[in-house]
Amino acid sequence: MAIEGRDDIAGRPIRLGMVGGGRDAFIGAVHRIASRIDGHFQLVAGAFSSTAEKSKASGRDLGLPDDRVYGDFTEMAKREARFKQGIEAVAIVTPNHMHYPVAREFLKRGIHVICDKPLTATLADARKLVNLAEKSDALFVLTHNYTGYPMVRQARQMVADGDVGTIRLVQAEYPQDWLAEPLEATGMKQAAWRTDPDKSGAGGSTGDIGTHALNLALFVSGLELSELAADLDSFVPGRRVDDNAHVMLRFAGGAKGTLWSSQVAPGNENALRLRIYGDKGGLEWSQEDPNYLWFTPLGEPKRLITRNGAGAGEAAGRVSRVPPGHPEGYLEGFANIYTEAAHAIRARAAGETPDPAVIHPTVRDGLVGVAFVDACVRSSRRNAAWTKLAI
Amino acid sequence: MAIEGRDDIAGRPIRLGMVGGGRDAFIGAVHRIASRIDGHFQLVAGAFSSTAEKSKASGRDLGLPDDRVYGDFTEMAKREARFKQGIEAVAIVTPNHMHYPVAREFLKRGIHVICDKPLTATLADARKLVNLAEKSDALFVLTHNYTGYPMVRQARQMVADGDVGTIRLVQAEYPQDWLAEPLEATGMKQAAWRTDPDKSGAGGSTGDIGTHALNLALFVSGLELSELAADLDSFVPGRRVDDNAHVMLRFAGGAKGTLWSSQVAPGNENALRLRIYGDKGGLEWSQEDPNYLWFTPLGEPKRLITRNGAGAGEAAGRVSRVPPGHPEGYLEGFANIYTEAAHAIRARAAGETPDPAVIHPTVRDGLVGVAFVDACVRSSRRNAAWTKLAI
Amino acid sequence: MAIEGRDDIAGRPIRLGMVGGGRDAFIGAVHRIASRIDGHFQLVAGAFSSTAEKSKASGRDLGLPDDRVYGDFTEMAKREARFKQGIEAVAIVTPNHMHYPVAREFLKRGIHVICDKPLTATLADARKLVNLAEKSDALFVLTHNYTGYPMVRQARQMVADGDVGTIRLVQAEYPQDWLAEPLEATGMKQAAWRTDPDKSGAGGSTGDIGTHALNLALFVSGLELSELAADLDSFVPGRRVDDNAHVMLRFAGGAKGTLWSSQVAPGNENALRLRIYGDKGGLEWSQEDPNYLWFTPLGEPKRLITRNGAGAGEAAGRVSRVPPGHPEGYLEGFANIYTEAAHAIRARAAGETPDPAVIHPTVRDGLVGVAFVDACVRSSRRNAAWTKLAI
Amino acid sequence: MAIEGRDDIAGRPIRLGMVGGGRDAFIGAVHRIASRIDGHFQLVAGAFSSTAEKSKASGRDLGLPDDRVYGDFTEMAKREARFKQGIEAVAIVTPNHMHYPVAREFLKRGIHVICDKPLTATLADARKLVNLAEKSDALFVLTHNYTGYPMVRQARQMVADGDVGTIRLVQAEYPQDWLAEPLEATGMKQAAWRTDPDKSGAGGSTGDIGTHALNLALFVSGLELSELAADLDSFVPGRRVDDNAHVMLRFAGGAKGTLWSSQVAPGNENALRLRIYGDKGGLEWSQEDPNYLWFTPLGEPKRLITRNGAGAGEAAGRVSRVPPGHPEGYLEGFANIYTEAAHAIRARAAGETPDPAVIHPTVRDGLVGVAFVDACVRSSRRNAAWTKLAI
């Protein structure tokens, strides 16, 4: 029942640049807010659009001086790398097909990369990026932001502590409804690139939200996915990528699961949900009500564990800011990824190993996600045959 | 906002017998209460156990005279058929493998049968029973009781009225946790026969609760199942039938779905849930909170429709008894099946066609359920290959 | 995790009569269903209306022979008392002002009375009825039906067991919305008599639902009400009784509380809710979701106790019929009062003391309710001055 | 179903100072995060503690240079007022009794004040502060942060638009459980000053959370409070201020209400809840699930309006950042107050009138809150007699 707050800024903010995220973007604004919440970053440069004029306009909206705003990300990487006060890290918030080429320019100049998901549009790019990132001195952080929610951390810790016993079942779902109609035909930018396989990759719902659901499932369960059987559909006439996926999962060790991603389920906004059942108990979590974690020890009443409340531990507490009953949300969860990145960047700068509690999704997690999309598409083409991830 | 109540007894109660349902039984007591709620039936005879002494003891518990209590169902059928005041209908609440032999004895003597689900333990028996029932003058009612819930009726009517448009997705699940441990090894009777393939059939969770979920999905959606891909597991060591099933569904016309049945998901009691999504809206219903139906017309706020409340129509109202806000439950839903059976029996007795609003699950619905279990088992043995129902 | 069902009929049904409850009535039908659910009663006679013809018509609806259907309750009492197979108990479901005169006729002839609430329309009648009932050999049972809900029994037991420690706070509320408009002006019968002080008594919402909320609060808490301060309103123009009441409560021993009854709160159907907080824990229960009881031991996570589920005890179990996760509702809770009455009647017939677990609301509880209405009205007239119950 | 994000930074951040909010504080950290989220403010100075050394240490935690960190707020006001790049606004996050003396020093030097609630510890101070603030060129913003929640704005707009008709009832409650035990006796700082009348004022729960509940009720309803009747308690032995308050409310025009504040209700974290009922509909909102607003038009099904979702309008949209289904929380709601303050400060600097959509709690709202506490205390001393606010 502590009611102390927390903001643990220490030292000067890390200088951040951004590629993508101009006007009309969704996730760029989210990254900017997330980077500010805990005060660890300061946005100082950007290539917000490939059109120089648009990029400058976005930069001015954000209070940046023109000379730190670029129309070309390669130019940005080159110049910022030369500045004494150049950016130390870059946030990549472009459509998926640009993640790899942009990341490459910054990674090879030793600038840390914080990249939106999925990692890349193609498996080939994903492999190249893994290779590049693992050789680089710079850090690569993937914003599978749902792993930043405190109660997701709590769930992961409880699984690791054996609170549910041996896991038997992992049920993950992420239904939405915003693409129930052919929004891409209206010119709506967010819909257009997400349904264009050249920009988003071969997966539609699988890539955009299915990767989130899978990442969450693996993060919390600690399991490794062995194979999957996927039945993909494009329910909206003319749609070029899947807008619904039913996926059966088999994990190493014998656990089973299902994953459902959908963009055509009316009444669902961002209804990401994870349920994990073991031989000793069950855990249930919903993204839309993220401050609650339901835990049932087998044979006992269900318990409602709240963020920072009774029953919640340090894994959740270290990424919380306010007392229980004061909800933290999507942006705070996202900010936790940025803050973990800041901890890792500062440790690296100091030549130290970060505190083992510091966790963030990596380029390898990104590869798993892209391989998942690839496997879903391959499985579905073979009438939902069981398919292994090509990692 | 009407607050009138309703109980529509008319005329003398129908004389009812019961086979099965002695001491320690679960569903026998449920059938007895359900048969009493609306006053349409009166229990007058029974073969509650195959041991005559036990049967008599159960009969005495229920206030029946010894001479109407039998140790042998065939004897019961024979004698009751001869009595002037003999039973007009029989409720069969034995383990699954006995449904067919018991039903046969009564049907062939023109006694109406109200039979628990699944229809039979084997597909062969199911086919024989369909044959028999369809030739008989007597009525055959299967107690897929969830179709008796008023808000399930409401959902079905809304689908039929086009409120969700063309259905794209049907998500059905029925998780429980009561068999998460090897309860059958403790001698617990309910667990023992349900996990014995000779008594329950080849399916475990698929037969016991998966058939309920499927029946509900088909009842509400009005769709026909084309094929399925099933991954069955027996997570509890030594268990002889599935205790978890992941099933992908394909419906005639292109809709897709999933069905999950489980008896090993801690924190789930009887968490039967149905979600249907079309191109114009979505519907969501949960058995544990049965008086609520969630309806989202695409692009509008979610609406909570309550039994007998604003927004609920006649399909729900005709099977409701009390005003909105006074919950009706499992027993009332079950009683609605009995009351529908009474309407049908009385119409038949009068040589009339029942009111078209009278609906109850039939022997054909039962065949679909048994074929579903059979298809799940066959699919799972072929590594979850797509399998058609053998109807 | 037991899944056995329960129906504990024993011996022949008790012969029941009814006064009131003809066509258009609400609570009469509820009483009839409740009396049937557990098989302890059989309706054999009635005076359903003071118009003989209407009464006969209602009787025929219910399958009663004309010679057991009366247009006059006094005649009914006299004749039934003389029959060898006359009624043993009578259910009184008339408007409030008739409870006393009707009860008197049956009590004085030794016929047990099961009477709807509030006890009477006036405090004078209530006192007379207490006097009469306490002198009679016959039993008097008041249907404050919410005390029949299993999780209400569970809550009461937990309070008695000290699970919440010393009670500090009792918050009771019962909002509805069905009288938000002047329904009585439309001729709607249920609204008409409930808003007519000659028939319902001086209280409107206080009498019709406030007495339920108070009875529930006292039943669960075990506290005694010392005094109250009430602010009553009739928001609907022309309404002659209160349709909203704000009441502050003080209990013997120092606990405090509030009670809110309303018939003009749009979005509330029968949202009766009780919250009890002690120095060691809290309990929360809602009538619209009656199978759930929320328990928070101070400093621990909130727990969801379900009817017959893990954490629920014998107090709830003995009034439950089906396994957890299969909701029981309003009618089953109501039936529990009838079944308790049956236990008490049979014990009395046998000259035995009933099992101490048998509990039902008494004529004294009814007096408290009527005194509560009286105190609310008096307090409100004195500008919500603190007022003691005139018991 | 738009999924664009939003962050509307424009121009350079406003230079912000802070008084209070050192290590161990709760609300100071909240203010700092809130001030950063939208990028409108930059913290550049502070007097975080009255002990210079502690203040410096806190300043260093926050990355501030020592020469902008003070041990004395008067010195801070004087020096910062003289700097060319001195603070433009100050956040006051001290215990209540210091709000007035601190605000005075900054207001009289033309520095804008963003002050935590309640306004002051005494009514005398509140009146002086109103006087001072209204004469000052500087802006005074009170952080009744719950009015920053988008769905609270939505509710207010719907009331103003007549969606609930004429308001009859306003039910506000704010229960907590963190002071259910004598935490102040353990030396816990947050509990200690809040239960010390010299620091918090004469009200305990009334001042700390009751003022929030009242402010929320008035903000949404648009009503004016006429009088109240309050029954205050200090349930925890030795507690010097109220830890529970039952308050009946009467509003100008005839609406009625209740307000319950409690710090001793186990199972409640920050369960602030508002329910408003008019003759045409009802609205319900809970702080712990702030992205949902329940709206029931009388006679229609309940609707769930979500932040930025279908049915939510511009009043909510302009203070939202992310798409529906991605929850915003307490910190974003708090940030909205800071952002409104920034809009107002910039408009004032430009000599313009702010957009009428810009709303923030004022010094007058603060006076109402302090007068509410005062009236509660006076009423309770007179046995809950009706008492008018001394404004």
Side-chain angles (χ1 to χ4, degrees):
Chain A
M1 284 180 294
I3 71 154
E4 284 87 5
R6 183 186 67 79
D7 64 337
D8 57 359
I9 302 170
R12 65 158 184 80
I14 295 164
R15 293 182 301 275
L16 181 70
M18 177 168 279
V19 177
R23 291 171 173 180
D24 294 342
F26 153 50
I27 206 67
V30 167
H31 277 251
R32 288 190 295 266
I33 298 173
S35 75
R36 282 196 300 264
I37 283 182
D38 291 328
H40 291 294
F41 292 89
Q42 184 172 11
L43 183 70
V44 298
F48 302 103
S49 166
S50 54
T51 310
E53 228 13 75
K54 284 190 185 168
S55 187
K56 300 279 185 209
S58 290
R60 278 172 217 133
D61 287 350
L62 297 165
L64 297 185
D66 272 13
D67 63 351
R68 300 295 287 279
V69 181
Y70 308 85
D72 181 277
F73 65 83
T74 309
E75 184 201 347
M76 173 175 162
K78 285 181 184 166
R79 291 196 55 200
E80 289 291 328
R82 270 186 254 126
F83 287 160
K84 190 156 186 184
Q85 296 296 317
I87 61 171
E88 297 159 278
V90 68
I92 303 178
V93 293
T94 64
N96 307 341
H97 68 304
M98 296 302 295
H99 291 177
Y100 169 64
V102 175
R104 187 181 52 196
E105 295 306 311
F106 290 88
L107 282 178
K108 73 185 189 191
R109 289 175 176 90
I111 294 171
H112 306 296
V113 168
I114 299 170
C115 182
D116 210 76
K117 47 47 60 187
L119 185 65
T120 57
T122 69
L123 192 49
D125 274 5
R127 287 183 183 129
K128 287 190 281 182
L129 189 43
V130 168
N131 208 29
L132 206 66
E134 294 191 342
K135 284 188 197 147
S136 171
D137 284 341
L139 198 73
F140 189 96
V141 174
L142 191 73
T143 53
H144 267 311
N145 56 290
Y146 301 113
T147 65
Y149 272 117
M151 298 320 277
V152 168
R153 300 288 179 105
Q154 174 73 21
R156 183 180 196 259
Q157 187 64 48
M158 291 177 75
V159 168
D161 290 348
D163 289 347
V164 301
T166 300
I167 293 177
R168 290 168 169 172
L169 294 168
V170 178
Q171 311 293 32
E173 63 183 46
Y174 196 152
Q176 298 180 324
D177 65 6
W178 72 290
L179 289 175
E181 294 180 310
L183 211 55
E184 60 268 45
T186 67
M188 196 273 211
K189 189 182 159 183
Q190 294 298 323
W193 78 256
R194 276 181 173 80
T195 55
D196 176 351
D198 294 337
K199 293 184 176 159
S200 70
S205 78
T206 44
D208 201 36
I209 53 179
T211 52
H212 270 312
L214 180 74
N215 179 261
L216 179 68
L218 299 179
F219 180 79
V220 174
S221 71
L223 294 175
E224 187 187 335
L225 183 61
S226 298
E227 57 181 350
L228 58 79
D231 199 22
L232 308 190
D233 283 278
S234 303
F235 280 110
V236 171
R239 184 152 292 160
R240 298 167 63 200
V241 291
D242 68 84
D243 51 23
N244 191 82
H246 293 154
V247 192
M248 298 198 297
L249 308 172
R250 291 176 177 167
F251 298 94
K256 296 289 180 76
T258 60
L259 188 151
W260 171 42
S261 63
S262 186
Q263 295 162 326
V264 297
N268 290 280
E269 292 175 339
N270 282 285
L272 173 61
R273 188 175 175 214
L274 180 67
R275 296 179 283 180
I276 291 187
Y277 303 108
D279 60 0
K280 296 215 174 86
L283 285 169
E284 303 179 355
W285 181 80
S286 289
Q287 191 269 153
E288 297 192 351
D289 301 293
N291 296 277
Y292 304 124
L293 178 66
W294 295 94
F295 171 50
T296 309
L298 183 63
E300 296 185 25
K302 199 172 282 241
R303 298 175 194 172
L304 176 58
I305 304 178
T306 58
R307 192 188 43 71
N308 261 351
E314 179 53 20
R318 68 174 283 280
V319 292
S320 287
R321 293 160 190 83
V322 288
H326 282 327
E328 297 196 24
Y330 175 83
L331 291 166
E332 287 82 2
F334 217 111
N336 285 334
I337 304 296
Y338 266 85
T339 294
E340 298 287 46
H343 293 321
I345 288 171
R346 286 182 169 136
R348 187 160 294 200
E352 293 166 3
T353 305
D355 182 328
V358 171
I359 320 173
H360 62 74
T362 66
V363 74
R364 283 262 154 205
D365 295 319
L367 175 61
V368 170
V370 179
F372 164 79
V373 175
D374 168 75
C376 285
V377 170
R378 287 188 293 122
S379 171
S380 193
R381 283 184 189 147
R382 297 188 302 133
N383 200 23
W386 288 101
T387 303
K388 290 190 190 306
L389 268 58
I391 300 185
Chain B
M1 283 179 295
I3 70 156
E4 285 85 5
R6 184 185 67 80
D7 64 337
D8 56 0
I9 302 171
R12 65 159 184 79
I14 296 165
R15 294 182 300 276
L16 181 70
M18 177 168 280
V19 177
R23 290 171 173 178
D24 293 343
F26 152 50
I27 206 67
V30 167
H31 278 250
R32 288 190 295 267
I33 298 173
S35 74
R36 282 198 298 266
I37 284 183
D38 291 327
H40 291 294
F41 293 88
Q42 184 172 10
L43 183 70
V44 298
F48 302 104
S49 167
S50 53
T51 309
E53 228 14 74
K54 284 189 186 167
S55 188
K56 301 278 184 209
S58 291
R60 279 173 216 132
D61 287 351
L62 297 164
L64 296 185
D66 272 12
D67 62 351
R68 299 295 287 277
V69 180
Y70 308 84
D72 181 277
F73 64 85
T74 309
E75 184 201 348
M76 171 175 164
K78 285 181 186 166
R79 292 196 54 201
E80 291 289 329
R82 268 185 256 127
F83 287 160
K84 189 156 186 182
Q85 296 295 317
I87 60 170
E88 297 159 276
V90 68
I92 303 177
V93 295
T94 63
N96 308 340
H97 68 304
M98 296 302 294
H99 291 176
Y100 169 64
V102 175
R104 188 181 49 195
E105 295 307 311
F106 291 87
L107 282 178
K108 73 185 188 192
R109 290 175 176 89
I111 293 171
H112 306 296
V113 169
I114 299 171
C115 182
D116 210 75
K117 45 48 60 186
L119 185 65
T120 57
T122 68
L123 192 49
D125 274 3
R127 287 182 185 132
K128 286 190 280 182
L129 189 42
V130 167
N131 208 29
L132 207 64
E134 295 190 342
K135 284 188 198 148
S136 170
D137 285 340
L139 197 74
F140 188 96
V141 174
L142 191 72
T143 55
H144 268 311
N145 57 290
Y146 301 113
T147 64
Y149 272 118
M151 299 320 278
V152 168
R153 300 289 179 105
Q154 173 74 22
R156 183 179 197 259
Q157 187 64 49
M158 291 176 74
V159 167
D161 289 348
D163 289 347
V164 302
T166 300
I167 293 178
R168 290 167 169 171
L169 293 167
V170 178
Q171 311 292 31
E173 62 183 47
Y174 196 153
Q176 299 179 323
D177 64 8
W178 72 290
L179 289 175
E181 294 180 311
L183 210 54
E184 60 267 46
T186 67
M188 194 274 212
K189 188 182 159 183
Q190 294 300 322
W193 78 256
R194 277 181 173 78
T195 56
D196 177 351
D198 293 338
K199 293 184 176 158
S200 71
S205 77
T206 44
D208 201 36
I209 52 179
T211 51
H212 269 313
L214 180 73
N215 178 260
L216 179 68
L218 299 180
F219 179 79
V220 175
S221 71
L223 294 176
E224 187 187 335
L225 184 60
S226 299
E227 57 180 349
L228 59 78
D231 200 22
L232 308 191
D233 282 277
S234 302
F235 280 110
V236 171
R239 183 152 293 160
R240 298 167 64 200
V241 290
D242 68 86
D243 51 23
N244 191 82
H246 292 153
V247 191
M248 298 198 297
L249 308 172
R250 290 176 178 167
F251 298 94
K256 295 289 180 76
T258 60
L259 187 151
W260 170 43
S261 64
S262 185
Q263 295 162 326
V264 296
N268 290 281
E269 294 175 339
N270 282 286
L272 173 61
R273 188 176 176 216
L274 180 67
R275 296 178 283 179
I276 291 187
Y277 303 108
D279 61 0
K280 295 215 174 86
L283 285 170
E284 303 179 357
W285 180 80
S286 288
Q287 190 269 151
E288 296 191 351
D289 301 292
N291 295 278
Y292 304 125
L293 178 67
W294 296 95
F295 171 49
T296 310
L298 184 63
E300 295 185 27
K302 197 172 284 241
R303 296 175 195 172
L304 177 58
I305 303 178
T306 58
R307 192 188 44 72
N308 261 353
E314 179 53 21
R318 70 175 281 282
V319 291
S320 287
R321 292 161 190 82
V322 288
H326 282 328
E328 296 195 25
Y330 174 83
L331 291 166
E332 287 84 1
F334 217 112
N336 286 334
I337 304 295
Y338 266 85
T339 294
E340 298 287 47
H343 293 321
I345 288 171
R346 287 182 170 136
R348 186 159 296 199
E352 293 167 4
T353 305
D355 182 328
V358 171
I359 320 173
H360 63 74
T362 67
V363 74
R364 284 261 153 205
D365 294 320
L367 175 61
V368 170
V370 179
F372 164 79
V373 175
D374 169 76
C376 285
V377 171
R378 287 187 293 123
S379 170
S380 193
R381 283 184 188 146
R382 295 188 303 133
N383 200 23
W386 288 101
T387 303
K388 290 190 191 306
L389 268 58
I391 300 184
Chain C
M1 283 179 294
I3 70 156
E4 285 86 5
R6 184 185 66 80
D7 63 336
D8 57 359
I9 302 170
R12 66 159 184 78
I14 295 165
R15 294 182 300 276
L16 180 70
M18 177 168 281
V19 177
R23 290 170 173 180
D24 295 342
F26 152 51
I27 207 66
V30 167
H31 278 251
R32 288 191 294 266
I33 298 173
S35 74
R36 281 197 299 265
I37 284 183
D38 291 328
H40 291 294
F41 293 88
Q42 185 173 9
L43 183 70
V44 297
F48 303 104
S49 167
S50 52
T51 310
E53 229 14 75
K54 284 190 186 168
S55 188
K56 300 278 184 208
S58 291
R60 279 173 216 133
D61 287 351
L62 298 164
L64 296 184
D66 272 12
D67 62 351
R68 300 295 286 277
V69 180
Y70 308 85
D72 181 276
F73 63 86
T74 308
E75 184 202 346
M76 172 176 163
K78 285 180 186 166
R79 291 196 54 201
E80 290 291 329
R82 270 186 255 127
F83 286 159
K84 190 157 185 183
Q85 296 295 318
I87 61 171
E88 297 159 277
V90 68
I92 303 177
V93 295
T94 62
N96 308 340
H97 67 303
M98 296 302 294
H99 291 176
Y100 169 64
V102 175
R104 187 182 50 197
E105 296 306 312
F106 290 87
L107 282 177
K108 73 185 187 192
R109 291 175 176 89
I111 294 171
H112 306 297
V113 169
I114 300 171
C115 182
D116 211 75
K117 43 52 57 187
L119 185 64
T120 56
T122 69
L123 192 50
D125 274 4
R127 286 181 184 132
K128 286 190 281 180
L129 189 42
V130 168
N131 207 29
L132 206 64
E134 294 189 342
K135 283 187 199 149
S136 170
D137 284 340
L139 198 73
F140 189 96
V141 174
L142 191 71
T143 54
H144 268 310
N145 57 289
Y146 302 114
T147 64
Y149 273 118
M151 299 319 279
V152 168
R153 299 289 179 106
Q154 173 74 22
R156 184 179 196 259
Q157 187 64 48
M158 291 177 74
V159 168
D161 290 348
D163 290 346
V164 302
T166 300
I167 293 178
R168 290 168 170 172
L169 293 167
V170 178
Q171 311 291 32
E173 62 183 46
Y174 197 153
Q176 298 179 324
D177 64 8
W178 73 290
L179 289 176
E181 294 181 309
L183 211 54
E184 61 267 46
T186 68
M188 196 273 212
K189 188 181 158 182
Q190 294 299 322
W193 77 256
R194 276 181 175 78
T195 56
D196 176 351
D198 293 338
K199 293 183 177 162
S200 70
S205 77
T206 43
D208 200 36
I209 51 178
T211 51
H212 270 312
L214 180 74
N215 178 261
L216 179 68
L218 299 179
F219 179 79
V220 174
S221 71
L223 295 175
E224 188 187 334
L225 184 61
S226 299
E227 57 180 348
L228 59 78
D231 199 22
L232 309 189
D233 283 277
S234 303
F235 280 110
V236 171
R239 183 153 292 160
R240 298 167 63 200
V241 290
D242 69 85
D243 51 23
N244 190 81
H246 293 153
V247 191
M248 299 197 297
L249 308 171
R250 290 175 178 168
F251 299 95
K256 296 287 180 79
T258 60
L259 187 151
W260 171 42
S261 64
S262 185
Q263 295 161 325
V264 297
N268 291 280
E269 293 175 339
N270 281 286
L272 173 61
R273 189 175 175 214
L274 179 67
R275 296 179 283 181
I276 291 188
Y277 303 108
D279 61 359
K280 295 214 173 85
L283 285 169
E284 303 179 357
W285 181 81
S286 288
Q287 191 269 151
E288 296 192 351
D289 301 292
N291 295 277
Y292 304 125
L293 178 66
W294 295 95
F295 171 49
T296 309
L298 184 62
E300 295 185 27
K302 196 172 284 242
R303 297 174 194 172
L304 176 58
I305 304 178
T306 58
R307 191 187 44 72
N308 260 353
E314 180 52 21
R318 70 175 281 283
V319 291
S320 287
R321 292 160 191 82
V322 288
H326 282 327
E328 296 195 24
Y330 174 82
L331 291 166
E332 287 84 2
F334 217 111
N336 286 334
I337 304 297
Y338 266 85
T339 294
E340 298 288 46
H343 293 321
I345 288 171
R346 287 183 169 135
R348 185 159 296 198
E352 293 167 4
T353 305
D355 181 329
V358 172
I359 321 173
H360 62 75
T362 67
V363 74
R364 283 261 155 207
D365 296 320
L367 175 61
V368 170
V370 179
F372 164 79
V373 174
D374 169 75
C376 284
V377 170
R378 286 188 292 122
S379 170
S380 192
R381 284 184 188 147
R382 295 189 301 134
N383 201 22
W386 288 101
T387 303
K388 290 189 191 305
L389 267 58
I391 301 185
Chain D
M1 283 179 293
I3 70 156
E4 284 86 5
R6 183 186 68 81
D7 64 337
D8 58 359
I9 303 171
R12 64 158 186 80
I14 296 164
R15 293 182 300 275
L16 181 71
M18 177 169 278
V19 177
R23 290 171 173 180
D24 296 340
F26 153 50
I27 207 66
V30 167
H31 277 250
R32 288 190 295 266
I33 297 173
S35 74
R36 282 198 298 265
I37 283 182
D38 291 327
H40 291 294
F41 292 88
Q42 185 172 9
L43 183 71
V44 298
F48 302 103
S49 166
S50 54
T51 310
E53 228 15 73
K54 285 190 185 168
S55 187
K56 300 278 184 209
S58 290
R60 280 173 216 133
D61 287 349
L62 298 166
L64 296 185
D66 272 12
D67 63 352
R68 300 294 287 276
V69 180
Y70 308 85
D72 182 276
F73 65 83
T74 310
E75 183 201 348
M76 173 175 163
K78 285 181 185 165
R79 291 196 54 202
E80 290 291 328
R82 269 186 255 127
F83 287 159
K84 191 157 184 181
Q85 296 296 316
I87 60 170
E88 296 160 276
V90 68
I92 302 178
V93 294
T94 63
N96 308 341
H97 68 304
M98 296 301 295
H99 290 176
Y100 169 65
V102 176
R104 186 182 53 197
E105 294 307 311
F106 290 88
L107 282 178
K108 73 185 189 193
R109 290 174 176 90
I111 294 171
H112 306 297
V113 169
I114 299 171
C115 183
D116 210 76
K117 46 48 58 187
L119 185 65
T120 58
T122 68
L123 192 49
D125 274 4
R127 288 183 183 129
K128 286 191 280 182
L129 189 43
V130 167
N131 208 29
L132 207 65
E134 294 190 342
K135 283 187 198 148
S136 170
D137 284 341
L139 198 73
F140 188 96
V141 174
L142 191 72
T143 54
H144 268 311
N145 56 290
Y146 302 113
T147 64
Y149 272 118
M151 299 320 279
V152 168
R153 300 289 179 106
Q154 173 74 22
R156 183 180 197 259
Q157 187 64 48
M158 291 176 75
V159 168
D161 290 348
D163 289 347
V164 301
T166 300
I167 293 177
R168 290 167 169 172
L169 294 167
V170 178
Q171 310 293 32
E173 62 183 46
Y174 197 153
Q176 298 179 323
D177 64 8
W178 73 290
L179 289 176
E181 295 180 311
L183 211 55
E184 60 268 45
T186 68
M188 196 273 212
K189 188 181 158 183
Q190 294 299 323
W193 78 256
R194 276 180 175 78
T195 56
D196 176 352
D198 294 338
K199 293 184 176 160
S200 70
S205 77
T206 43
D208 201 36
I209 52 179
T211 51
H212 270 312
L214 180 73
N215 178 262
L216 179 68
L218 299 179
F219 180 79
V220 173
S221 71
L223 294 176
E224 187 187 334
L225 184 61
S226 297
E227 57 180 349
L228 58 80
D231 198 22
L232 309 190
D233 283 278
S234 303
F235 281 110
V236 171
R239 183 150 292 159
R240 299 167 62 200
V241 290
D242 68 84
D243 51 23
N244 191 81
H246 293 154
V247 191
M248 299 198 295
L249 308 172
R250 291 176 178 167
F251 298 94
K256 295 288 180 78
T258 61
L259 188 151
W260 171 42
S261 63
S262 185
Q263 295 161 326
V264 297
N268 290 281
E269 293 175 339
N270 281 285
L272 173 61
R273 188 175 176 215
L274 180 66
R275 296 179 283 181
I276 291 187
Y277 303 108
D279 60 359
K280 296 215 173 84
L283 285 169
E284 304 180 356
W285 180 81
S286 287
Q287 192 269 152
E288 297 192 351
D289 301 292
N291 295 277
Y292 303 124
L293 178 66
W294 295 95
F295 171 50
T296 308
L298 184 63
E300 296 185 25
K302 199 172 282 242
R303 298 175 193 171
L304 177 58
I305 303 178
T306 58
R307 190 189 45 71
N308 260 353
E314 180 53 21
R318 70 174 282 280
V319 292
S320 287
R321 293 160 190 82
V322 288
H326 283 327
E328 297 195 24
Y330 174 82
L331 291 166
E332 288 83 2
F334 217 112
N336 286 334
I337 304 295
Y338 265 85
T339 294
E340 298 287 47
H343 293 322
I345 289 171
R346 286 185 170 134
R348 185 160 295 198
E352 292 165 4
T353 305
D355 182 328
V358 171
I359 321 173
H360 62 75
T362 66
V363 75
R364 283 261 155 205
D365 295 319
L367 175 61
V368 170
V370 179
F372 164 79
V373 175
D374 168 76
C376 284
V377 171
R378 286 188 293 123
S379 170
S380 192
R381 283 183 189 148
R382 295 189 302 134
N383 200 22
W386 287 101
T387 303
K388 290 190 190 304
L389 268 58
I391 300 184

